[in-house]
């Protein structure tokens, strides 16, 4: 089955082309073809996983040659797949959660006339994401990377007849292209330094490469990761991307696209191990982003944008872990997997709420929905407990491990990273509890004419499955360290150092902060009345509601100077370049006009000119003779 893993990509890709080419003729069955394609990819991935489980740990890396790709003399590269524990982990997450989201979307998009096209884009996204995680070279990874960017653009702007939705898709596309420049630059550095861009060549070359070279490659890869994973300073697109249909938010912004950056960093561990400064920057970016997202999430009243800020913060935890080195790689992927379940479940829960509330997203217009949407309340609640890190739910086993690892080290780093992770846990408990209580508890604040109701089974069943994962997946994977052992052939075996604080103290402090955050949210939003309009805000609240003015900063630092520079260059091009060309042309034309006046057609005039010319030549000849 390992040799047939190309089917993982081929099946959803073929389905996407069929749905796009068949047009309206597939409206009646196109959505089920999309579901079947994603489900087939999961079955193939599961069979490959079971086969790899039967192999010894040192044999758990299988290459699948696809075709000869580039042969230029200096660069010889074949297209191939690398099937190992890391790539298979992503395959199972993407295809399993993706299939559940496909099923959910059958009900969610039931009345959309373009549902068939929506499923084509979903399949295209799945195929591109699988290319990204299965590629055996950075260049093929780049193909998947760009494919994911294209598919996300199409999905975010699916309802592009609305200007704000089209603008959100464009913003996501442009910001991600900025990050993509980092990956392009890294490819150039790799080829220059190592003579190739496949993983084997790069990782072998990294062992003897200079620190400066590896630092340059590492920082370039980090720029790419920041774009895809919405990390500081390229995080501005994520909140606006909630304009897309809710299944898109669950697929792209919970389990797949936003995790691509984490995958890139962990896959490139050999590069970062030789570039400690670049690795430190990864950790700093993660620490800054986890606080950034948490602060923004505390002030959002839009349920999907609050979840988007939460995603940004949780990916920040993963990036922090990846920046800690060997001790954190497996923890980052562990939290990535559990987060894929509980965050996808909560996004689908948000979609269920919107489905029952006529697409309302303002949490101030919700309240008391637990009585009208019991299944959604329970499933969302399990995801809420998981992200808070309440034992024995999934987040307790994944996020708390990152917090413990952040306290390992020497000097200032364990204190700064550890305390940041702790503060983030408290803020997470507050803003996620705020979201949960404003939506499902308190007094009903529904608008006239709204009659909340539970979603149909085709939507609730995927939510139940994800909720079960939110409840038990962490415990299952952590028991006996089986998940870390599974990833060890890729991430290596790391001796866990002792934190600067005792582990029981860290765990107890984390739970206390979580309890304080959740308790404060209950007092303010669960027990007390929630006003229909946001009260007058302080400067800090205004900043959080406006995403800490990230768009204003981008406009002031990049957009306006870029616009002025462009205008200056356009003026210089018109006035100087075009002016010089046009002036030269005009001068030649005028000279021609003057010379043409000498062409009279009279022999006497030509004889006179010849005489004058002869006299001039003779004069200069005599001067030269002297």
């Amino acid at each position: 089955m390992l040799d047939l893993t190309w089917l993982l990509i081929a099946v959803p890709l073929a389905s996407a082309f069929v749905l796009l080419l068949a047009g309206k003729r597939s409206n009646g069955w196109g959505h089920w073809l999309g579901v079947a394609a994603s489900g087939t990819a999961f079955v193939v991935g599961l069979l490959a996983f079971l086969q790899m489980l039967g192999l010894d740990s040192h044999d758990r890396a299988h290459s699948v040659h696809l075709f000869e790709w580039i042969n230029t003399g200096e660069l010889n590269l074949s297209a191939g797949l690398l099937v190992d524990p890391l790539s298979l982990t992503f395959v199972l997450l993407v295809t399993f959660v993706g299939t559940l989201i496909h099923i959910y979307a059958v009900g969610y998009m039931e009345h959309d006339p373009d549902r068939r096209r929506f499923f084509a884009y979903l399949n295209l996204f799945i195929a591109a994401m699988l290319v990204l995680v299965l590629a055996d070279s950075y260049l093929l990874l780049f193909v998947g990377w760009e494919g994911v960017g294209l598919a996300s653009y199409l999905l975010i702007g699916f309802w592009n007849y609305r200007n704000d939705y089209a603008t959100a898709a464009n913003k996501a596309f442009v910001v991600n292209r900025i990050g993509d420049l980092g990956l392009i630059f890294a490819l150039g550095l790799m080829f220059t330094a190592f003579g190739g861009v496949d993983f084997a060549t790069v990782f072998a070359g990294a062992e003897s490469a200079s620190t400066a070279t590896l630092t340059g490659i590492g920082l370039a890869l980090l720029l790419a990761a920041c774009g895809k994973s919405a990390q500081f300073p390229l995080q501005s697109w994520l909140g606006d991307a909630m304009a897309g249909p809710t299944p898109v938010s669950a697929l792209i912004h919970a389990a797949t696209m936003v995790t691509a950056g984490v995958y890139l960093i962990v896959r490139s561990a050999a590069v970062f191990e030789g570039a400690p400064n670049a690795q430190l920057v990864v950790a700093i970016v993660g620490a800054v982003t986890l606080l950034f997202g948490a602060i923004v999430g505390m002030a959002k009243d839009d349920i999907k944008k609050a979840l988007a800020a939460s995603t940004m913060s949780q990916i920040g935890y993963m990036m922090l872990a990846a920046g800690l080195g060997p001790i954190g790689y497996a923890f980052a992927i562990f939290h990535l997997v559990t987060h894929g379940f509980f965050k996808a479940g909560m996004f689908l829960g948000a979609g269920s709420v919107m489905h029952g509330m006529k697409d309302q997203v303002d949490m101030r217009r919700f309240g008391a929905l637990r009585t009208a949407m019991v299944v959604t309340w329970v499933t969302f609640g399990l995801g809420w407990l998981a992200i808070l890190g309440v034992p024995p739910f999934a987040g307790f086993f994944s996020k708390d491990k990152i917090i413990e690892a952040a306290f390992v080290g020497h000097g200032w780093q364990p204190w700064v990273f550890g305390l940041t992770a702790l503060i983030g846990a408290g803020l997470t408990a507050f803003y996620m509890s705020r979201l949960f209580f404003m939506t499902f508890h308190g007094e009903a604040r529904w608008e006239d004419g709204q009659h909340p109701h539970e979603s149909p089974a085709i939507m609730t069943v995927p939510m139940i499955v994800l909720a079960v994962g939110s409840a038990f997946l962490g415990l299952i994977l952590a028991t006996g360290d089986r998940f870390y052992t599974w990833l060890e052939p890729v991430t290596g075996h790391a001796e866990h150092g002792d934190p600067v604080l005792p582990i029981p103290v860290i765990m107890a402090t984390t739970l206390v902060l979580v309890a304080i955050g959740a308790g404060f949210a209950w007092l303010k939003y669960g027990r007390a009345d929630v006003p229909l309009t946001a009260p007058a805000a302080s400067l800090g609240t205004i900043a959080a509601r406006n995403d800490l003015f990230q768009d204003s900063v981008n406009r002031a630092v990049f957009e306006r100077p870029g616009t002025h520079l462009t205008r200056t260059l356009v003026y210089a091009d018109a006035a100087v370049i075009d002016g010089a060309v046009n002036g030269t042309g005009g001068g030649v034309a005028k000279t021609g006009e003057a010379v043409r006046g000498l062409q009279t057609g009279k022999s006497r005039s030509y004889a006179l000119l010849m005489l004058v010319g002869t006299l001039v030549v003779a004069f200069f000849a005599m001067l030269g003779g002297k």
Side-chain angles (χ1 to χ4, degrees), residues 431-521:
Y431 72 76
M432 287 305 304
S433 298
R434 173 181 180 270
L435 184 156
F436 185 67
F437 296 143
M438 287 180 72
T439 301
F440 296 103
H441 293 265
E443 297 295 326
R445 303 179 297 278
W446 314 332
E447 295 179 344
D448 293 338
Q450 285 185 327
H451 303 286
H453 57 275
E454 189 59 87
S455 299
I458 198 167
M459 294 172 63
T460 57
V461 169
M463 292 160 52
I464 292 171
V465 175
L466 291 170
V468 171
S470 301
F472 301 112
L473 185 63
L475 177 62
I476 293 171
L477 296 181
T479 302
D481 287 341
R482 56 167 57 99
F483 187 74
Y484 309 127
T485 304
W486 161 252
L487 287 179
E488 201 168 274
V490 180
T491 59
H493 177 73
E495 295 294 337
H496 297 177
D498 294 326
V500 294
L501 292 176
I503 290 179
V505 172
I506 297 173
M507 293 177 62
T509 304
T510 302
L511 291 175
V512 168
L513 289 174
V514 167
I516 292 174
F520 185 58

Side-chain angles (χ1 to χ4, degrees), residues 190-388:
M190 291 172 187
F191 180 68
T192 302
F194 310 125
V197 293
D198 57 286
F199 292 155
T201 300
V202 173
F203 298 160
E207 297 178 359
S208 57
S210 67
T211 301
T213 298
L214 295 178
T215 299
I217 295 173
L219 293 177
L221 292 174
L222 174 60
L223 177 63
C226 287
K228 275 290 182 287
S229 292
Q231 297 294 283
F232 180 86
L234 299 180
Q235 77 291 341
S236 62
W237 64 271
L238 187 59
D240 297 82
M242 296 301 104
T246 299
V248 175
S249 303
L251 181 65
I252 296 179
H253 309 126
T256 53
M257 177 171 149
V258 291
T259 64
V262 181
Y263 170 81
L264 182 64
I265 299 298
V266 175
R267 176 62 78 187
S268 306
V271 172
F272 287 96
E273 287 299 303
N277 290 333
Q279 195 170 61
L280 177 60
V281 175
V282 173
I284 292 173
V285 166
V288 170
T289 309
L290 76 87
L291 289 181
F292 190 107
I295 293 170
V296 169
M298 290 192 297
K300 292 294 184 182
D301 291 333
D302 184 315
I303 187 171
K304 288 179 66 177
K305 290 190 175 183
L307 288 173
S310 170
T311 296
M312 186 192 307
S313 181
Q314 296 305 305
I315 300 293
Y317 271 105
M318 301 170 206
M319 294 291 282
L320 171 60
L324 297 176
I327 191 176
Y329 296 143
F331 295 156
I333 303 302
F334 189 14
H335 191 50
L336 185 151
V337 171
T338 60
H339 175 266
F341 275 78
F342 60 68
K343 184 57 63 64
M346 286 190 285
F347 265 118
L348 297 188
S352 179
V353 170
M354 292 167 60
H355 182 269
M357 294 289 286
K358 296 183 177 180
D359 291 328
Q360 176 65 262
V361 294
D362 187 354
M363 294 185 292
R364 294 185 179 276
R365 305 287 174 173
F366 293 159
L369 290 180
R370 68 186 186 280
T371 58
M373 308 178 71
V374 177
V375 176
T376 301
W377 171 53
V378 172
T379 55
F380 198 104
L382 291 174
W384 166 64
L385 292 172
I387 195 172
L388 261 61

Side-chain angles (χ1 to χ4, degrees), residues 532-546:
L532 294 179
T533 57
S538 62
L539 178 61
T541 305
I542 293 174
R545 288 176 183 169
N546 289 278

